[in-house]
Amino acid sequence: MATSSCRPTIAIGQVMKMLKMSGLDRTTLVIVTSDNGAHWTPEDIKKFGHSASNHRRGQKSDAWEGGHRIPFIARWPDKIKAGSTSDELICLADLPATCAELTGEKLPATACEDSESILPVLKGKKQDRPVHEAVVHHSGGGMFAIRQGDWKFIDGLGSGGFSTPRTEKPMPDGPKGQLYNLAKDPEEKENLYLKEPDVVKRLSALLEKIKKDGHSARRLSE
């Protein structure tokens, strides 16, 4: 069992060594990922000269990308092409549905309401639609955000988490929330809330619908 003092690379190496010794290394799906964003302050970045979130804005607990974007590496030699990558939008909530499909089980309607199987993506199969219509998340302070394609809408101002400012009051003629195009602006520097009102309207409506429905998984709607 790994402990909090165990270096992740050593633990992963030990797992891979045992799989190889058991003859299971080519047929076993190994996923290496992490918890939500690093608790890494601007002072830490300055002190150590290192951005734990790869220059994404914010940190753990924030609604910004630094609070949610994480690494996801999968190894499955007999199924996944070595060196392949995917731009598909996924989240850790997808692991239950993925494991269910992998084992031939069916998730009950009362469980894993936001989980979608990413098994076809892992195998490199071309999809006729994205895995998720959208992904909803929120900050440690409860500020909701929704991601759809390249667009990310945050229902409020500030980080909503550890970073300052945590919250901001809207100015009379200013934005009431945040909208970013992550393909063009991965560091979330330009708030497009006022410039793209149609996108704000669409994403805010979808966010409210998902909150009202209590789920986002397609299997519960189709």
Side-chain angles (χ1 to χ4, degrees):
M1 177 181 292
T3 66
S4 58
S5 61
C6 181
R7 295 180 180 178
T9 52
I10 295 176
I12 295 167
Q14 291 173 337
V15 170
M16 296 308 302
K17 182 179 179 180
M18 292 305 300
L19 286 173
K20 189 169 185 178
M21 289 175 61
S22 303
L24 300 173
D25 57 312
R26 296 199 59 83
T27 57
T28 300
L29 171 60
V30 177
I31 293 175
V32 179
T33 184
S34 74
D35 190 6
N36 49 293
H39 188 7
W40 199 251
T41 67
E43 291 74 23
D44 291 327
I45 295 174
K46 185 177 180 180
K47 179 179 179 180
F48 296 101
H50 171 70
S51 173
S53 59
N54 193 26
H55 304 291
R56 261 66 180 193
R57 188 178 184 184
Q59 59 174 311
K60 184 181 181 75
S61 184
D62 295 349
W64 295 322
E65 286 296 275
H68 290 270
R69 187 180 289 255
I70 58 174
F72 188 94
I73 302 170
R75 182 186 185 276
W76 197 6
D78 286 352
K79 302 290 184 180
I80 299 176
K81 183 179 178 181
S84 60
T85 61
S86 173
D87 293 327
E88 191 73 40
L89 177 62
I90 65 172
C91 65
L92 289 185
D94 294 329
L95 291 180
T98 303
C99 291
E101 183 177 358
L102 185 63
T103 58
E105 296 295 326
K106 185 177 180 180
L107 290 175
T110 55
C112 308
E113 296 91 337
D114 301 306
S115 192
E116 302 280 8
S117 175
I118 62 170
L119 193 57
V121 178
L122 292 175
K123 292 182 177 181
K125 294 183 178 180
K126 188 175 181 179
Q127 305 295 300
D128 58 0
R129 63 182 184 182
V131 170
H132 288 275
E133 178 183 13
V135 169
V136 174
H137 58 91
H138 64 74
S139 70
M143 183 183 293
F144 274 89
I146 183 169
R147 168 81 184 273
Q148 186 180 55
D150 294 333
W151 292 105
K152 177 179 174 182
F153 167 69
I154 302 176
D155 194 16
L157 297 174
S159 73
F162 294 153
S163 296
T164 56
R166 297 190 65 185
T167 59
E168 290 184 82
K169 289 185 178 181
M171 301 294 288
D173 297 322
K176 296 181 180 179
Q178 301 170 69
L179 179 71
Y180 302 103
N181 186 311
L182 296 181
K184 299 178 180 178
D185 180 25
E187 296 180 13
E188 297 172 291
K189 292 182 177 180
E190 183 181 8
N191 185 359
L192 301 174
Y193 186 96
L194 297 179
K195 294 182 179 180
E196 299 285 351
D198 291 342
V199 179
V200 170
K201 183 178 180 180
R202 183 183 80 241
L203 292 182
S204 59
L206 181 56
L207 174 60
E208 290 306 312
K209 179 183 183 301
I210 293 174
K211 288 164 65 176
K212 182 180 179 181
D213 292 345
H215 65 83
S216 64
R218 288 193 178 99
R219 62 186 171 83
L220 300 178
S221 301
E222 297 178 343

